[in-house]
Amino acid sequence: MDKTKIIQNLNELFKQRAKFYEFFDGNIEKMPKSDVFDFQKAKDLNAKEVYEHFYHFDYAMRKLLPSIFKAYEIKEKDLDKDF
């Protein structure tokens, strides 16, 4: 993958990450004087809507991983799969 494509993928990743946190910011209050989400005060969230936001963020990351693996010569055997 060339540098231009990697930059596009990075920009998409950052955009989707921002949308994911924007969704949280719009639906979950933060603790006073903090950037920490206060999940105890969160209103009920639609699980499908949360998943849709997460999926777009996760997909952007997965598009970028092959380039990272190639650049650093990371092989499947190098990775722990106990997660």
Side-chain angles (χ1 to χ4, degrees):
M1 190 174 285
D2 68 354
K3 183 177 179 178
T4 302
K5 189 65 175 165
I6 292 171
I7 290 169
Q8 288 174 343
N9 286 348
L10 278 169
N11 286 329
E12 182 63 21
L13 172 66
F14 297 143
K15 182 173 107 180
Q16 292 303 330
R17 181 183 185 275
K19 286 182 179 182
F20 187 64
Y21 281 102
E22 183 179 295
F23 173 77
F24 270 37
D25 287 339
N27 290 282
I28 304 170
E29 291 181 39
K30 292 189 178 169
M31 294 183 181
K33 300 179 184 176
S34 172
D35 284 332
V36 177
F37 291 109
D38 190 348
F39 289 100
Q40 291 186 11
K41 291 184 179 177
K43 60 184 176 181
D44 290 335
L45 297 177
N46 177 312
K48 183 178 181 225
E49 191 175 5
V50 173
Y51 178 76
E52 286 173 358
H53 284 278
F54 171 76
Y55 177 82
H56 291 295
F57 176 53
D58 183 60
Y59 180 73
M61 175 58 82
R62 287 183 284 122
K63 276 180 64 176
L64 188 58
L65 287 177
S67 300
I68 293 170
F69 288 7
K70 183 178 178 183
Y72 290 97
E73 298 179 3
I74 298 169
K75 306 291 184 215
E76 191 74 22
K77 66 180 176 136
D78 297 325
L79 304 172
D80 291 332
K81 293 294 186 169
D82 55 344
F83 48 86

Coordinates of all heavy atoms in Angstrom, one line a residue:
M1 N 0.9 -1.2 0.0 CA 0.0 0.0 0.0 C 0.9 1.2 0.0 O 1.9 1.3 0.7 CB -0.9 0.0 1.2 CG -2.0 1.0 1.2 SD -3.2 0.9 2.6 CE -4.1 -0.5 2.1
D2 N 0.6 2.2 -0.8 CA 1.4 3.4 -0.9 C 1.1 4.4 0.2 O 0.0 4.3 0.9 CB 1.4 4.0 -2.3 CG 0.0 4.6 -2.6 OD1 -1.0 4.5 -1.8 OD2 -0.1 5.3 -3.7
K3 N 1.9 5.4 0.4 CA 1.8 6.3 1.4 C 0.5 7.1 1.3 O -0.1 7.4 2.4 CB 3.0 7.3 1.4 CG 3.0 8.3 2.5 CD 4.3 9.2 2.4 CE 4.3 10.2 3.5 NZ 5.5 11.1 3.5
T4 N 0.1 7.5 0.1 CA -1.2 8.2 0.0 C -2.3 7.5 0.5 O -3.2 8.0 1.2 CB -1.4 8.5 -1.5 OG1 -0.2 9.3 -2.0 CG2 -2.6 9.3 -1.8
K5 N -2.4 6.2 0.2 CA -3.5 5.3 0.7 C -3.5 5.2 2.2 O -4.5 5.2 2.9 CB -3.5 3.9 0.0 CG -4.7 3.1 0.3 CD -5.9 3.7 -0.3 CE -7.1 2.8 -0.1 NZ -8.3 3.5 -0.4
I6 N -2.3 5.0 2.7 CA -2.2 4.9 4.2 C -2.6 6.2 4.9 O -3.4 6.2 5.9 CB -0.7 4.6 4.6 CG1 -0.3 3.2 4.1 CG2 -0.5 4.7 6.1 CD1 1.1 2.8 4.3
I7 N -2.3 7.4 4.3 CA -2.7 8.6 4.8 C -4.2 8.7 4.8 O -4.9 9.2 5.7 CB -2.0 9.8 4.1 CG1 -0.5 9.8 4.5 CG2 -2.7 11.1 4.5 CD1 0.3 10.8 3.7
Q8 N -4.8 8.3 3.7 CA -6.3 8.3 3.5 C -6.9 7.4 4.6 O -7.9 7.8 5.2 CB -6.7 7.8 2.2 CG -6.4 8.8 1.0 CD -6.8 8.2 -0.3 OE1 -6.9 6.9 -0.5 NE2 -6.9 9.0 -1.3
N9 N -6.3 6.2 4.8 CA -6.9 5.3 5.8 C -6.7 5.9 7.2 O -7.6 5.8 8.1 CB -6.2 4.0 5.8 CG -6.6 3.2 4.6 OD1 -7.6 3.5 3.9 ND2 -5.9 2.1 4.3
L10 N -5.6 6.6 7.5 CA -5.4 7.2 8.8 C -6.4 8.3 9.0 O -7.1 8.4 10.1 CB -4.0 7.8 8.9 CG -2.9 6.8 9.3 CD1 -1.5 7.5 9.1 CD2 -3.1 6.4 10.7
N11 N -6.7 9.1 8.0 CA -7.6 10.2 8.1 C -9.0 9.6 8.4 O -9.8 10.2 9.1 CB -7.6 11.1 6.9 CG -6.4 12.0 6.9 OD1 -5.9 12.4 7.9 ND2 -5.9 12.3 5.7
E12 N -9.4 8.5 7.7 CA -10.7 7.9 7.9 C -10.8 7.3 9.3 O -11.8 7.5 10.0 CB -10.9 6.8 6.9 CG -12.2 6.1 7.0 CD -13.4 7.0 6.7 OE1 -13.3 8.1 6.1 OE2 -14.5 6.7 7.2
L13 N -9.7 6.8 9.8 CA -9.7 6.2 11.2 C -9.9 7.4 12.2 O -10.8 7.2 13.1 CB -8.3 5.6 11.5 CG -8.1 5.2 12.9 CD1 -9.1 4.1 13.3 CD2 -6.7 4.7 13.1
F14 N -9.2 8.5 12.0 CA -9.4 9.6 12.9 C -10.8 10.2 12.8 O -11.4 10.6 13.9 CB -8.3 10.7 12.7 CG -6.9 10.2 12.9 CD1 -5.9 10.6 12.1 CD2 -6.6 9.3 13.9 CE1 -4.6 10.2 12.3 CE2 -5.3 8.9 14.1 CZ -4.3 9.3 13.3
K15 N -11.3 10.2 11.6 CA -12.7 10.7 11.5 C -13.7 9.9 12.2 O -14.6 10.3 12.9 CB -13.0 10.8 10.0 CG -14.4 11.4 9.6 CD -14.6 11.6 8.2 CE -15.5 10.5 7.6 NZ -15.7 10.6 6.2
Q16 N -13.6 8.5 12.0 CA -14.5 7.6 12.6 C -14.4 7.6 14.1 O -15.3 7.5 14.9 CB -14.4 6.2 12.1 CG -14.8 6.1 10.6 CD -16.2 6.5 10.3 OE1 -17.1 6.4 11.2 NE2 -16.4 7.0 9.2
R17 N -13.1 7.8 14.6 CA -12.9 7.8 16.1 C -13.6 9.1 16.6 O -14.3 9.0 17.7 CB -11.4 7.9 16.4 CG -11.1 8.0 17.8 CD -9.6 8.1 18.1 NE -9.3 8.0 19.5 CZ -9.3 9.1 20.3 NH1 -9.6 10.3 19.8 NH2 -8.9 8.9 21.6
A18 N -13.5 10.2 15.9 CA -14.1 11.4 16.4 C -15.7 11.3 16.4 O -16.3 11.7 17.3 CB -13.7 12.6 15.5
K19 N -16.2 10.6 15.4 CA -17.7 10.4 15.4 C -18.1 9.5 16.5 O -19.2 9.7 17.1 CB -18.1 9.7 14.0 CG -18.1 10.7 12.9 CD -18.5 10.0 11.6 CE -18.6 10.9 10.4 NZ -19.1 10.3 9.2
F20 N -17.3 8.5 16.8 CA -17.6 7.6 17.9 C -17.7 8.3 19.2 O -18.6 8.2 20.0 CB -16.5 6.4 17.9 CG -16.8 5.3 18.9 CD1 -17.9 4.5 18.8 CD2 -15.9 5.1 20.0 CE1 -18.1 3.5 19.6 CE2 -16.1 4.1 20.8 CZ -17.2 3.2 20.7
Y21 N -16.7 9.1 19.5 CA -16.6 9.9 20.7 C -17.7 11.0 20.7 O -18.2 11.4 21.8 CB -15.2 10.4 21.1 CG -14.4 9.3 21.7 CD1 -13.5 8.6 20.9 CD2 -14.6 8.9 23.0 CE1 -12.7 7.6 21.5 CE2 -13.9 7.9 23.5 CZ -12.9 7.2 22.8 OH -12.2 6.2 23.3
E22 N -18.0 11.6 19.6 CA -19.0 12.6 19.5 C -20.4 12.0 19.9 O -21.2 12.6 20.6 CB -19.1 13.1 18.0 CG -20.1 14.2 17.8 CD -20.1 14.7 16.4 OE1 -19.0 15.2 16.0 OE2 -21.1 14.5 15.7
F23 N -20.6 10.7 19.4 CA -21.8 10.0 19.8 C -21.9 9.9 21.3 O -22.9 10.1 22.0 CB -21.9 8.7 19.1 CG -23.0 7.8 19.6 CD1 -24.3 8.0 19.2 CD2 -22.8 6.7 20.5 CE1 -25.3 7.2 19.6 CE2 -23.8 5.9 20.9 CZ -25.1 6.2 20.5
F24 N -20.8 9.4 21.9 CA -20.7 9.3 23.4 C -20.9 10.6 24.1 O -21.7 10.7 25.0 CB -19.4 8.7 23.8 CG -19.3 7.2 23.9 CD1 -20.0 6.4 23.0 CD2 -18.6 6.6 24.9 CE1 -20.0 5.0 23.1 CE2 -18.6 5.2 25.0 CZ -19.3 4.4 24.1
D25 N -20.3 11.7 23.6 CA -20.4 13.0 24.2 C -21.9 13.5 24.1 O -22.3 14.2 25.1 CB -19.5 14.0 23.4 CG -18.1 13.9 23.7 OD1 -17.7 13.3 24.8 OD2 -17.2 14.4 22.9
G26 N -22.6 13.1 23.1 CA -24.0 13.5 23.0 C -24.9 12.7 23.8 O -26.1 13.1 23.9
N27 N -24.5 11.6 24.3 CA -25.4 10.7 25.0 C -25.0 10.3 26.4 O -25.8 9.7 27.2 CB -25.5 9.4 24.2 CG -26.3 9.6 22.9 OD1 -27.5 9.7 23.0 ND2 -25.6 9.7 21.8
I28 N -23.7 10.6 26.8 CA -23.3 10.3 28.1 C -22.6 11.5 28.8 O -21.7 12.1 28.2 CB -22.3 9.1 28.1 CG1 -22.9 7.9 27.4 CG2 -21.8 8.7 29.5 CD1 -21.9 6.8 27.0
E29 N -23.1 11.9 29.9 CA -22.5 13.0 30.6 C -21.1 12.6 31.1 O -20.8 11.5 31.3 CB -23.4 13.4 31.9 CG -24.7 14.0 31.5 CD -25.4 14.4 32.8 OE1 -24.8 14.8 33.8 OE2 -26.7 14.1 32.8
K30 N -20.3 13.6 31.4 CA -19.0 13.4 31.9 C -19.0 13.8 33.4 O -19.8 14.6 33.9 CB -17.9 14.2 31.2 CG -17.7 13.7 29.8 CD -16.6 14.3 29.1 CE -16.4 13.7 27.7 NZ -15.5 14.4 26.9
M31 N -18.1 13.2 34.2 CA -18.0 13.5 35.6 C -17.6 14.9 35.7 O -16.9 15.5 34.9 CB -17.0 12.5 36.3 CG -17.5 11.1 36.3 SD -16.3 10.1 37.2 CE -17.1 8.5 37.0
P32 N -18.0 15.6 36.8 CA -17.7 17.0 37.0 C -16.1 17.2 37.0 O -15.4 16.4 37.5 CB -18.2 17.3 38.4 CG -19.3 16.3 38.7 CD -18.8 15.0 37.9
K33 N -15.8 18.3 36.3 CA -14.4 18.7 36.1 C -13.5 17.5 35.6 O -12.4 17.4 36.0 CB -13.8 19.2 37.4 CG -14.6 20.4 38.0 CD -14.0 20.9 39.3 CE -14.9 22.0 39.8 NZ -14.5 22.4 41.1
S34 N -14.0 16.8 34.6 CA -13.3 15.6 34.1 C -13.7 15.3 32.7 O -14.8 15.8 32.2 CB -13.7 14.4 35.0 OG -13.2 13.2 34.5
D35 N -12.9 14.6 32.0 CA -13.2 14.1 30.7 C -13.7 12.6 30.7 O -13.8 12.0 29.7 CB -12.0 14.2 29.7 CG -11.8 15.7 29.3 OD1 -12.8 16.4 29.2 OD2 -10.6 16.0 29.0
V36 N -13.9 12.1 31.9 CA -14.3 10.7 32.1 C -15.8 10.6 32.0 O -16.6 11.4 32.6 CB -13.8 10.2 33.5 CG1 -14.3 8.8 33.7 CG2 -12.3 10.3 33.6
F37 N -16.3 9.7 31.2 CA -17.7 9.5 31.0 C -18.3 8.9 32.3 O -17.8 8.0 32.9 CB -18.0 8.5 29.9 CG -17.7 9.1 28.5 CD1 -16.6 8.7 27.8 CD2 -18.5 10.1 28.0 CE1 -16.3 9.2 26.6 CE2 -18.2 10.7 26.7 CZ -17.1 10.2 26.0
D38 N -19.5 9.5 32.7 CA -20.2 9.0 33.9 C -21.3 8.0 33.4 O -22.4 8.4 33.2 CB -20.8 10.2 34.6 CG -21.3 9.8 36.0 OD1 -21.5 8.6 36.2 OD2 -21.6 10.8 36.7
F39 N -20.9 6.8 33.3 CA -21.9 5.8 32.8 C -23.0 5.5 33.7 O -24.1 5.1 33.3 CB -21.1 4.5 32.5 CG -20.2 4.6 31.3 CD1 -18.9 4.8 31.4 CD2 -20.7 4.5 30.0 CE1 -18.0 4.9 30.3 CE2 -19.9 4.6 28.9 CZ -18.6 4.8 29.1
Q40 N -22.9 5.9 35.0 CA -24.0 5.7 35.9 C -25.1 6.7 35.6 O -26.3 6.4 35.9 CB -23.5 5.8 37.4 CG -22.6 4.6 37.8 CD -22.2 4.7 39.2 OE1 -22.8 5.4 40.0 NE2 -21.3 3.8 39.6
K41 N -24.8 7.8 35.1 CA -25.8 8.8 34.8 C -26.2 8.8 33.3 O -27.0 9.6 32.8 CB -25.3 10.2 35.1 CG -25.1 10.5 36.5 CD -24.7 11.9 36.8 CE -24.6 12.2 38.2 NZ -24.1 13.6 38.5
A42 N -25.7 7.8 32.5 CA -26.0 7.7 31.1 C -27.4 7.3 30.9 O -28.0 6.5 31.6 CB -25.1 6.7 30.4
K43 N -28.0 8.0 29.9 CA -29.4 7.6 29.5 C -29.3 6.3 28.8 O -28.2 5.8 28.3 CB -30.0 8.7 28.7 CG -29.3 9.0 27.3 CD -30.0 10.1 26.6 CE -29.2 10.5 25.4 NZ -29.8 11.6 24.7
D44 N -30.4 5.6 28.6 CA -30.4 4.3 27.9 C -30.0 4.5 26.5 O -30.5 5.5 25.8 CB -31.8 3.7 27.9 CG -32.2 3.2 29.3 OD1 -31.3 2.9 30.1 OD2 -33.5 3.2 29.6
L45 N -29.1 3.7 26.0 CA -28.6 3.8 24.7 C -29.1 2.6 23.8 O -29.3 1.5 24.4 CB -27.0 3.8 24.6 CG -26.3 4.9 25.3 CD1 -24.8 4.7 25.3 CD2 -26.7 6.3 24.7
N46 N -29.3 2.9 22.6 CA -29.7 1.9 21.7 C -28.5 1.1 21.3 O -27.6 1.6 20.7 CB -30.3 2.6 20.4 CG -30.8 1.6 19.3 OD1 -30.0 0.7 19.0 ND2 -32.0 1.8 18.8
A47 N -28.5 -0.2 21.6 CA -27.4 -1.1 21.4 C -27.0 -1.1 19.9 O -25.8 -1.1 19.5 CB -27.6 -2.5 21.9
K48 N -28.0 -1.1 19.0 CA -27.7 -1.2 17.6 C -27.0 0.1 17.1 O -26.0 0.0 16.4 CB -29.0 -1.3 16.8 CG -28.7 -1.5 15.3 CD -30.1 -1.7 14.6 CE -29.7 -1.8 13.1 NZ -30.6 -1.1 12.3
E49 N -27.4 1.2 17.7 CA -26.7 2.5 17.3 C -25.3 2.6 17.8 O -24.4 3.0 17.1 CB -27.6 3.7 17.9 CG -27.2 5.0 17.3 CD -28.1 6.1 17.8 OE1 -29.0 5.9 18.6 OE2 -27.9 7.2 17.3
V50 N -25.1 2.1 19.0 CA -23.7 2.0 19.6 C -22.9 1.1 18.7 O -21.7 1.5 18.4 CB -23.7 1.5 21.1 CG1 -22.3 1.3 21.6 CG2 -24.5 2.5 22.0
Y51 N -23.4 0.0 18.4 CA -22.6 -1.0 17.6 C -22.3 -0.3 16.2 O -21.1 -0.5 15.7 CB -23.3 -2.3 17.4 CG -22.6 -3.2 16.5 CD1 -21.5 -3.9 17.0 CD2 -22.9 -3.4 15.1 CE1 -20.7 -4.7 16.2 CE2 -22.2 -4.2 14.3 CZ -21.1 -4.9 14.8 OH -20.3 -5.7 14.0
E52 N -23.2 0.4 15.6 CA -22.9 1.0 14.3 C -21.8 1.9 14.4 O -20.9 1.9 13.5 CB -24.2 1.7 13.7 CG -25.2 0.7 13.3 CD -26.6 1.4 12.9 OE1 -26.7 2.6 13.1 OE2 -27.5 0.7 12.5
H53 N -21.7 2.7 15.4 CA -20.6 3.7 15.6 C -19.3 2.9 15.8 O -18.3 3.3 15.2 CB -20.9 4.7 16.7 CG -21.9 5.7 16.4 ND1 -21.5 6.9 15.7 CD2 -23.2 5.8 16.6 CE1 -22.6 7.6 15.5 NE2 -23.6 7.0 16.1
F54 N -19.4 1.9 16.6 CA -18.2 1.1 16.9 C -17.7 0.4 15.7 O -16.5 0.4 15.4 CB -18.4 0.1 18.0 CG -17.3 -0.8 18.2 CD1 -16.1 -0.4 18.8 CD2 -17.3 -2.1 17.6 CE1 -15.0 -1.3 18.9 CE2 -16.2 -3.0 17.7 CZ -15.1 -2.6 18.4
Y55 N -18.6 -0.1 14.9 CA -18.3 -0.9 13.7 C -17.5 0.0 12.7 O -16.4 -0.4 12.1 CB -19.5 -1.5 13.0 CG -19.1 -2.2 11.7 CD1 -18.7 -3.5 11.7 CD2 -19.2 -1.5 10.5 CE1 -18.3 -4.1 10.6 CE2 -18.9 -2.2 9.3 CZ -18.4 -3.5 9.4 OH -18.1 -4.1 8.2
H56 N -17.9 1.2 12.5 CA -17.2 2.1 11.5 C -15.8 2.4 12.0 O -14.9 2.5 11.2 CB -18.0 3.4 11.3 CG -19.3 3.1 10.5 ND1 -19.3 2.7 9.2 CD2 -20.6 3.3 10.9 CE1 -20.6 2.6 8.8 NE2 -21.4 2.9 9.8
F57 N -15.7 2.7 13.3 CA -14.4 2.9 13.9 C -13.5 1.7 13.7 O -12.3 1.8 13.3 CB -14.5 3.3 15.4 CG -13.3 3.5 16.1 CD1 -12.3 4.4 15.6 CD2 -13.1 2.9 17.3 CE1 -11.1 4.6 16.3 CE2 -11.9 3.1 18.0 CZ -10.9 3.9 17.5
D58 N -14.0 0.5 14.1 CA -13.2 -0.7 14.0 C -12.9 -1.0 12.6 O -11.7 -1.5 12.3 CB -14.1 -1.9 14.6 CG -13.3 -3.2 14.7 OD1 -12.3 -3.2 15.3 OD2 -13.8 -4.1 14.0
Y59 N -13.8 -0.8 11.6 CA -13.5 -1.1 10.2 C -12.3 -0.2 9.7 O -11.5 -0.7 9.0 CB -14.7 -0.9 9.4 CG -14.5 -1.2 7.9 CD1 -14.4 -2.5 7.5 CD2 -14.4 -0.2 7.0 CE1 -14.1 -2.8 6.1 CE2 -14.2 -0.4 5.7 CZ -14.1 -1.7 5.2 OH -13.8 -2.0 3.9
A60 N -12.3 1.0 10.1 CA -11.3 1.9 9.7 C -9.9 1.4 10.2 O -8.9 1.5 9.5 CB -11.6 3.4 10.2
M61 N -9.9 0.9 11.4 CA -8.7 0.4 12.0 C -8.2 -0.9 11.3 O -7.1 -1.0 10.9 CB -8.9 0.1 13.5 CG -7.7 -0.6 14.2 SD -6.2 0.3 14.1 CE -6.4 1.4 15.4
R62 N -9.2 -1.7 11.0 CA -8.8 -3.0 10.3 C -8.3 -2.7 8.9 O -7.5 -3.5 8.4 CB -10.0 -3.9 10.3 CG -10.3 -4.6 11.6 CD -11.4 -5.6 11.6 NE -12.7 -4.9 11.6 CZ -13.6 -5.1 10.6 NH1 -13.4 -5.9 9.7 NH2 -14.8 -4.4 10.7
K63 N -8.8 -1.7 8.2 CA -8.2 -1.3 6.9 C -6.8 -0.9 7.0 O -6.0 -1.1 6.0 CB -9.1 -0.2 6.3 CG -10.3 -0.6 5.6 CD -11.1 0.5 5.0 CE -10.3 1.2 3.9 NZ -11.1 2.3 3.3
L64 N -6.4 -0.3 8.1 CA -5.0 0.2 8.2 C -4.0 -0.9 8.7 O -2.9 -0.8 8.3 CB -5.1 1.3 9.3 CG -3.8 2.2 9.5 CD1 -3.4 2.8 8.2 CD2 -4.1 3.2 10.5
L65 N -4.5 -1.9 9.4 CA -3.6 -2.9 9.9 C -2.7 -3.6 8.9 O -1.5 -3.7 9.2 CB -4.4 -3.9 10.7 CG -4.9 -3.4 12.1 CD1 -5.7 -4.5 12.8 CD2 -3.8 -2.9 13.0
P66 N -3.2 -4.0 7.7 CA -2.3 -4.6 6.8 C -1.1 -3.8 6.4 O 0.1 -4.3 6.3 CB -3.2 -4.9 5.6 CG -4.5 -5.0 6.1 CD -4.6 -4.0 7.3
S67 N -1.2 -2.5 6.3 CA -0.1 -1.6 6.0 C 0.9 -1.6 7.1 O 2.1 -1.5 6.9 CB -0.6 -0.2 5.7 OG -1.5 -0.2 4.6
I68 N 0.4 -1.5 8.3 CA 1.3 -1.5 9.5 C 2.0 -2.8 9.6 O 3.2 -2.8 9.9 CB 0.4 -1.3 10.8 CG1 -0.1 0.2 10.8 CG2 1.3 -1.5 12.1 CD1 -1.2 0.4 11.9
F69 N 1.3 -3.9 9.4 CA 2.0 -5.2 9.5 C 3.1 -5.3 8.4 O 4.2 -5.8 8.7 CB 1.0 -6.4 9.2 CG 0.0 -6.6 10.4 CD1 0.0 -5.8 11.5 CD2 -0.8 -7.7 10.3 CE1 -0.9 -6.0 12.5 CE2 -1.7 -7.9 11.3 CZ -1.8 -7.1 12.4
K70 N 2.8 -4.8 7.2 CA 3.8 -4.9 6.2 C 5.0 -4.0 6.5 O 6.1 -4.4 6.3 CB 3.2 -4.5 4.8 CG 4.1 -4.6 3.7 CD 3.4 -4.2 2.4 CE 4.4 -4.3 1.2 NZ 3.8 -3.9 0.0
A71 N 4.7 -2.8 6.9 CA 5.8 -1.8 7.2 C 6.8 -2.3 8.3 O 8.0 -2.1 8.2 CB 5.2 -0.5 7.6
Y72 N 6.2 -3.0 9.2 CA 7.1 -3.5 10.3 C 7.3 -5.0 10.2 O 7.8 -5.6 11.2 CB 6.4 -3.2 11.7 CG 6.5 -1.7 12.0 CD1 5.4 -0.9 11.7 CD2 7.6 -1.1 12.5 CE1 5.4 0.5 11.9 CE2 7.7 0.2 12.7 CZ 6.6 1.0 12.4 OH 6.6 2.4 12.7
E73 N 7.0 -5.6 9.1 CA 7.2 -7.0 8.9 C 6.6 -7.9 10.0 O 7.3 -8.8 10.5 CB 8.7 -7.3 8.6 CG 9.2 -6.6 7.4 CD 10.7 -6.8 7.2 OE1 11.3 -7.6 7.9 OE2 11.2 -6.2 6.2
I74 N 5.4 -7.6 10.4 CA 4.8 -8.4 11.5 C 4.1 -9.5 10.8 O 3.3 -9.4 9.8 CB 3.8 -7.5 12.2 CG1 4.5 -6.3 12.9 CG2 3.0 -8.3 13.2 CD1 3.6 -5.3 13.5
K75 N 4.3 -10.7 11.4 CA 3.7 -11.9 10.8 C 2.6 -12.4 11.8 O 2.6 -12.0 13.0 CB 4.7 -13.0 10.7 CG 5.9 -12.6 9.8 CD 5.5 -12.5 8.4 CE 6.7 -12.2 7.5 NZ 6.5 -11.3 6.5
E76 N 1.7 -13.2 11.3 CA 0.6 -13.8 12.2 C 1.2 -14.4 13.4 O 0.7 -14.3 14.5 CB -0.2 -14.8 11.4 CG -1.5 -15.2 12.0 CD -2.5 -14.1 12.0 OE1 -2.5 -13.2 11.2 OE2 -3.4 -14.3 12.9
K77 N 2.3 -15.2 13.3 CA 2.9 -15.9 14.4 C 3.5 -15.0 15.5 O 3.7 -15.4 16.6 CB 4.0 -16.8 13.9 CG 5.2 -16.1 13.3 CD 6.3 -17.1 12.8 CE 7.3 -16.2 12.2 NZ 8.6 -16.5 12.4
D78 N 3.7 -13.7 15.1 CA 4.2 -12.7 16.1 C 3.2 -12.2 17.1 O 3.5 -11.7 18.1 CB 4.8 -11.5 15.4 CG 6.0 -11.8 14.5 OD1 6.7 -12.7 14.8 OD2 6.1 -11.1 13.4
L79 N 1.9 -12.4 16.7 CA 0.8 -11.9 17.5 C 0.2 -12.9 18.5 O 0.1 -14.0 18.3 CB -0.3 -11.4 16.6 CG 0.1 -10.4 15.5 CD1 -1.1 -10.2 14.5 CD2 0.5 -9.1 16.1
D80 N -0.1 -12.3 19.7 CA -0.8 -13.1 20.7 C -2.2 -13.2 20.3 O -2.8 -12.1 20.0 CB -0.7 -12.5 22.1 CG 0.7 -12.5 22.7 OD1 1.5 -13.5 22.3 OD2 1.1 -11.7 23.4
K81 N -2.8 -14.3 20.4 CA -4.2 -14.4 20.0 C -5.1 -14.8 21.2 O -6.2 -15.3 21.0 CB -4.4 -15.5 18.9 CG -3.8 -15.1 17.6 CD -4.5 -13.9 17.0 CE -4.0 -13.6 15.6 NZ -4.8 -12.7 14.9
D82 N -4.6 -14.5 22.4 CA -5.4 -14.8 23.6 C -6.2 -13.6 24.1 O -6.1 -13.2 25.2 CB -4.4 -15.4 24.7 CG -3.3 -14.4 25.0 OD1 -3.0 -13.4 24.2 OD2 -2.7 -14.6 26.1
F83 N -7.0 -13.1 23.2 CA -7.8 -12.0 23.6 C -9.2 -12.2 23.1 O -9.5 -13.1 22.3 CB -7.3 -10.6 23.1 CG -6.9 -10.6 21.6 CD1 -7.9 -10.4 20.7 CD2 -5.6 -10.8 21.3 CE1 -7.5 -10.4 19.3 CE2 -5.2 -10.8 19.9 CZ -6.2 -10.6 19.0

